[in-house]
Amino acid sequence: MNLSRPLWAPTRLLCFIRTATYSSAAVTTPATASNSSFPLKNVTKSNFEAVLSELRSHVRAADFVAIDLEMTGITSAPWRESFEFDRFDVRYLKVKDSAEKFAVVQFGVCPFRWDSAKNSFVAHPHNFFVFPRHEILVDGPSSEFLCQTTSIEFLAKYQFDFNACIHEGISYLSRAHEDAARKRLNFAHGDETSDASSNVTNIRDQKRIGIADVLFKERMKNRLHEWRDRLLSERNMECQGQEGSNDYQRQFETIFFKMRPALTLSDFTSHQTKLIQLVIKKHFEDLCFVVVDDGDANLQQLVVYVDSRDDKELLMQEVNSDRQEAAEMKIQSAIGFRHVIDLLSSEKKLIIGHNCFLDIAHIHKKFIGSLPSTAEEFVSSIGKHFPFIMDTKILLNGNGILQQRMKKSSTSLSSAFALLCPHIAFSSQSNPAFSSGVQVEVQVDDLSSSNWNSGDKHEAGYDAFMTGCVFAQACNLMGIDFVLPSENLADNEKLQKHINHLYLSWASGDIIDLSTGNRMTEPLRSNRSKKHQAKISFENIVLIWGFPANLNARKIKECISKVFGLANIVSVYHIDESAVFVQFAKPEMVSEFLDLKKNLERHDDPISVLHPLTELFGAKGTNAAGYEAYKEICSSPMFKVLFADQAEAVGINQKTTSIKPESVKSQMHEAANNSLTADMLNETTEVQGMEVGANDLRNTNYHILRSSSM
């Protein structure tokens, strides 16, 4: 996923969209892109089945498969951004929140196969439009997701086809939803099978039956007797349809069902149908009531003639078998795009992505099941489905040869593609300088091409193609020989130290090893990262939120420094306009600070009123807690734009650690000795994070749009 992390503009809109099952006129999408000369297979629900069959053969023959995702957003609130003060487990929780709240609208899949005869790779780029539409009834509410304005504008800038996505996007079921849907359908079919007996019992248990019901039952008994007698006397089947009133002809029609004569029941109320079932059960051993699907998603009620009890049991077995088969067909159809994910998982191919941890988290949430609460559990789960994943950004930053080739340039996908694969990126330009490097031929349907203009960046199919090309060229520069027969790239010794390593946070250099769940630091940035991490001691951090609006990071540091001394306040970092981190020099200062707050709130004596921290804690809404409270707040699925509102919604007010009373008293009386003037603080204070002015973040507006249907 190569969508740049969006900036928090003064006006930022989050759309909250709820999808439901609906039908619409088909939107025609061409199989290959018409707005670009790059050959690309666009896939919607209209051509999905045919493409899936072809894709299976391409994936099975592939040496590796590159993927890319486009989403409706990245972060649901400013405080959900990745921060310098985010611990490893908190970083995972923020990725988890993003994958849970936003939707995948486009999925790029590009299998690459080495062709020794052509001495080049053959790529098959596919661009799947997906949309979380419920094709069958599943437990729980309809699908809901957020849209981030900057992300939607970003997609629109690169001509994303929203109509194709919404109207023709391929729906899907996760494995968890599939299990739930199958149980629901089986339960419904069980209800239908036992419907006659249960309904008859209910009616029979009624002590009083109205005269209208008695007359109706008698009339139905006579008509069923007449119909059965005609069958037994082998009279002409057409004659009986011509007799009687128009109402009779409309309500009763003789057909053949499972090679048996049957009577259709139409225009009866549910209560009347139950009465008919009672009549059949009581008076006709050779008639059977069944409910079947007529093929147009409508239920048809039939009274079927059977020769014997064994024939009746055989009929019910056939009906139940048909129901199971129809249910399975519905489920397989509703699984939709997950068939592609199952294909990639079952083939155990090397999956290539670029800065793709969020992509993998989306794949787990959308197509496997709910995301685990910890990174360790996530690693265990995803490894069962995708044992080999390569992040090209890890590769570019972790290999000295590639670093030298990149010349300290950006390792974004577009930059890497232009620098490492100019012969592919600019294949239409006949420049001799672009002739070196691994060659790639693109095949779509029966057409092959090795000469094209640049494709549409940030279209998932083309980005997946670029990702695969970068990987192929990187392998070539590292001296990996593609000509070796039957060599699995996932087992290549030169790639082993990079496989299953993904950036949990590119900014911090945090890497998660999908094989072990351990945290790592990328080798070429280890010295800088260790120096960076040495500044942050999470046990030394206190979280403050809900403070007065006139306070910002600089003023908060000034206030606390008057009590603890400037040297003991390492940094103050804004989470958003309503919350800050304060890092102390020693961990015990966290508990001392929290107990000071608690003591000031209990007392209203002159010392407390004049205490420097009164400016910070004077407002009743100000709360403070240790770092674990921050993790707890981030783990909540609730959605609040301001951190202070989120903390309140989660139910966290304040957490303190008790210390000796004399320590609190000593701190309060030493405040005057440790106070520094505002001028001194302004000269020496280093405030990290966002420098928030009086109106900076408070000008940000947020709106939620909710739609019950599309």
Side-chain angles (χ1 to χ4, degrees):
M1 212 294 295
N2 308 297
L3 192 64
S4 300
R5 187 171 297 279
L7 298 176
W8 290 90
T11 300
R12 179 181 184 276
L13 178 67
L14 285 177
C15 279
F16 186 41
I17 296 180
R18 174 178 294 152
T19 69
T21 302
Y22 71 100
S23 61
S24 64
V27 177
T28 303
T29 302
T32 54
S34 60
N35 60 345
S36 169
S37 58
F38 177 79
L40 179 66
K41 186 81 169 183
N42 279 335
V43 189
T44 63
K45 63 181 181 180
S46 60
N47 63 338
F48 175 66
E49 290 298 329
V51 171
L52 181 60
S53 178
E54 298 175 358
L55 183 64
R56 284 195 174 98
S57 62
H58 294 323
V59 170
R60 287 165 183 164
D63 293 286
F64 61 89
V65 181
I67 64 169
D68 183 81
L69 280 65
E70 297 297 337
M71 305 113 174
T72 60
I74 303 294
T75 50
S76 58
W79 59 272
R80 293 281 192 185
E81 292 278 0
S82 179
F83 292 145
E84 178 184 0
F85 281 77
D86 286 344
R87 201 168 56 195
F88 186 75
D89 52 351
V90 173
R91 294 190 192 280
Y92 168 75
L93 292 174
K94 290 189 173 183
V95 173
K96 175 176 178 286
D97 177 80
S98 179
E100 291 173 339
K101 286 188 170 65
F102 295 100
V104 174
V105 290
Q106 207 175 61
F107 201 115
V109 178
C110 189
F112 281 74
R113 172 181 59 85
W114 177 256
D115 189 327
S116 298
K118 297 180 180 179
N119 199 34
S120 70
F121 275 104
V122 178
H124 303 271
H126 293 72
N127 196 49
F128 292 88
F129 288 90
V130 295
F131 192 73
R133 186 189 311 103
H134 283 178
E135 300 290 354
I136 59 175
L137 188 62
V138 296
D139 293 329
S142 55
S143 297
E144 300 174 347
F145 60 90
L146 291 175
C147 288
Q148 192 171 354
T149 303
T150 48
S151 297
I152 299 301
E153 288 177 339
F154 182 89
L155 292 173
K157 176 182 177 182
Y158 290 97
Q159 292 80 48
F160 181 83
D161 193 339
F162 292 98
N163 282 325
C165 175
I166 296 173
H167 294 295
E168 281 289 293
I170 307 161
S171 58
Y172 54 85
L173 285 180
S174 69
R175 296 187 179 186
H177 280 153
E178 178 193 352
D179 293 340
R182 183 168 279 109
K183 290 178 182 178
R184 173 182 284 275
L185 287 174
N186 289 338
F187 180 77
H189 293 155
D191 279 354
E192 290 174 5
T193 303
S194 61
D195 193 48
S197 59
S198 62
N199 286 330
V200 168
T201 302
N202 292 337
I203 296 174
R204 188 172 54 196
D205 289 343
Q206 296 179 5
K207 294 182 179 180
R208 295 181 181 180
I209 298 179
I211 187 64
D213 289 348
V214 174
L215 294 175
F216 178 82
K217 288 166 57 181
E218 188 66 22
R219 186 166 67 252
M220 291 301 103
K221 184 179 73 170
N222 293 336
R223 289 186 175 180
L224 290 172
H225 262 302
E226 179 184 356
W227 178 75
R228 187 194 61 175
D229 291 345
R230 288 178 181 174
L231 292 175
L232 295 176
S233 62
E234 299 182 350
R235 290 186 178 181
N236 191 321
M237 300 295 293
E238 295 181 357
C239 293
Q240 57 183 319
Q242 297 172 357
E243 297 180 4
S245 65
N246 291 333
D247 289 341
Y248 182 91
Q249 294 179 18
R250 184 176 66 252
Q251 290 185 307
F252 298 93
E253 180 185 359
T254 300
I255 62 173
F256 276 89
F257 176 74
K258 300 290 183 182
M259 302 299 292
R260 301 171 179 89
L263 196 63
T264 63
L265 303 180
S266 304
D267 297 333
F268 290 106
T269 66
S270 60
H271 179 68
Q272 289 174 332
T273 302
K274 293 175 184 178
L275 292 174
I276 293 174
Q277 295 176 50
L278 179 59
V279 170
I280 294 172
K281 183 177 180 65
K282 185 175 182 180
H283 300 286
F284 300 95
E285 292 184 356
D286 52 1
L287 297 183
C288 182
F289 178 85
V290 297
V291 180
V292 297
D293 192 330
D294 65 358
D296 295 323
N298 298 315
L299 294 180
Q300 188 176 36
Q301 298 169 337
L302 302 175
V303 178
V304 185
Y305 175 79
V306 292
D307 292 327
S308 63
R309 180 174 295 179
D310 290 341
D311 188 34
K312 184 176 182 178
E313 292 180 356
L314 178 60
L315 172 65
M316 295 310 298
Q317 290 176 3
E318 292 173 351
V319 170
N320 289 333
S321 177
D322 287 348
R323 286 171 175 166
Q324 292 289 344
E325 183 178 348
E328 187 62 28
M329 289 179 63
K330 288 181 179 179
I331 290 174
Q332 290 301 316
S333 177
I335 286 174
F337 183 76
R338 208 202 77 216
H339 284 300
V340 175
I341 303 301
D342 290 345
L343 171 64
L344 298 179
S345 175
S346 63
E347 293 299 322
K348 307 299 181 186
K349 295 294 182 177
L350 177 61
I351 303 299
I352 311 298
H354 186 84
N355 201 17
C356 60
F357 185 78
L358 180 58
D359 292 5
I360 302 301
H362 269 286
I363 290 173
H364 192 294
K365 176 64 178 68
K366 304 303 189 293
F367 309 111
I368 299 175
S370 299
L371 284 167
S373 58
T374 66
E376 292 75 17
E377 292 174 310
F378 171 79
V379 165
S380 175
S381 178
I382 203 67
K384 298 175 183 177
H385 304 282
F386 300 100
F388 311 111
I389 301 175
M390 171 67 74
D391 190 331
T392 51
K393 200 172 185 74
I394 290 281
L395 196 59
L396 294 176
N397 286 293
N399 181 273
I401 296 175
L402 300 179
Q403 277 279 17
Q404 185 177 5
R405 182 63 179 265
M406 292 295 294
K407 301 176 181 178
K408 298 183 179 180
S409 298
S410 167
T411 53
S412 68
L413 179 58
S414 57
S415 296
F417 185 58
L419 284 169
L420 298 183
C421 313
H423 57 293
I424 303 174
F426 310 104
S427 62
S428 61
Q429 302 177 18
S430 57
N431 190 333
F434 296 161
S435 60
S436 62
V438 177
Q439 300 300 312
V440 177
E441 178 182 276
V442 175
Q443 284 188 0
V444 174
D445 296 328
D446 296 328
L447 301 177
S448 299
S449 177
S450 57
N451 191 344
W452 54 79
N453 292 322
S454 179
D456 292 331
K457 296 177 182 178
H458 306 295
E459 191 168 42
Y462 185 68
D463 282 1
F465 170 74
M466 288 197 297
T467 300
C469 290
V470 168
F471 174 71
Q473 185 61 32
C475 289
N476 181 55
L477 292 172
M478 293 169 63
I480 296 175
D481 189 359
F482 302 118
V483 180
L484 293 177
S486 67
E487 181 183 10
N488 191 339
L489 284 174
D491 298 327
N492 187 280
E493 183 179 354
K494 296 180 180 179
L495 294 176
Q496 278 299 302
K497 64 179 181 179
H498 304 294
I499 287 179
N500 288 334
H501 293 176
L502 304 183
Y503 280 117
L504 192 56
S505 171
W506 154 245
S508 67
D510 281 346
I511 295 174
I512 185 169
D513 186 345
L514 296 183
S515 301
T516 63
N518 295 333
R519 172 190 174 183
M520 304 172 57
T521 302
E522 57 180 331
L524 296 185
R525 296 204 304 176
S526 58
N527 293 333
R528 185 187 68 83
S529 297
K530 288 178 180 178
K531 181 180 179 180
H532 170 79
Q533 292 294 330
K535 294 182 180 180
I536 302 176
S537 299
F538 296 105
E539 65 273 16
N540 295 9
I541 291 176
V542 68
L543 172 67
I544 305 174
W545 70 92
F547 43 78
N550 64 320
L551 296 181
N552 60 19
R554 187 175 297 279
K555 291 182 179 179
I556 290 173
K557 183 168 186 177
E558 174 185 339
C559 177
I560 299 175
S561 296
K562 291 178 181 178
V563 179
F564 289 87
L566 180 61
N568 288 322
I569 311 302
V570 178
S571 60
V572 178
Y573 189 97
H574 259 291
I575 300 173
D576 69 358
E577 61 177 289
S578 68
V580 296
F581 282 130
V582 177
Q583 183 180 5
F584 289 95
K586 302 176 182 178
E588 58 267 23
M589 291 182 176
V590 172
S591 59
E592 292 173 3
F593 177 83
L594 295 175
D595 279 353
L596 274 171
K597 175 187 181 301
K598 186 176 181 180
N599 192 71
L600 287 171
E601 290 173 343
R602 288 179 177 177
H603 299 85
D604 195 20
D605 55 81
I607 294 179
S608 299
V609 172
L610 296 176
H611 196 280
L613 292 182
T614 301
E615 182 181 3
L616 178 60
F617 296 129
K620 293 183 178 180
T622 304
N623 291 286
Y627 194 87
E628 290 305 316
Y630 176 61
K631 176 185 176 181
E632 185 176 348
I633 293 169
C634 288
S635 67
S636 171
M638 295 181 180
F639 168 63
K640 299 292 181 181
V641 173
L642 289 179
F643 184 88
D645 294 338
Q646 178 80 3
E648 182 179 359
V650 173
I652 296 179
N653 292 321
Q654 66 178 26
K655 298 176 184 284
T656 60
T657 302
S658 298
I659 60 174
K660 296 180 180 180
E662 55 268 25
S663 177
V664 176
K665 183 177 180 181
S666 174
Q667 284 285 343
M668 294 176 64
H669 284 286
E670 289 178 4
N673 296 329
N674 289 333
S675 295
L676 298 175
T677 65
D679 291 340
M680 293 173 61
L681 283 170
N682 289 335
E683 291 176 1
T684 59
T685 299
E686 175 190 1
V687 181
Q688 299 187 20
M690 294 176 285
E691 288 292 343
V692 182
N695 298 312
D696 287 349
L697 285 174
R698 294 197 175 276
N699 287 335
T700 306
N701 297 320
Y702 305 92
H703 306 277
I704 300 296
L705 300 183
R706 186 184 295 261
S707 173
S708 59
S709 63
M710 298 301 297

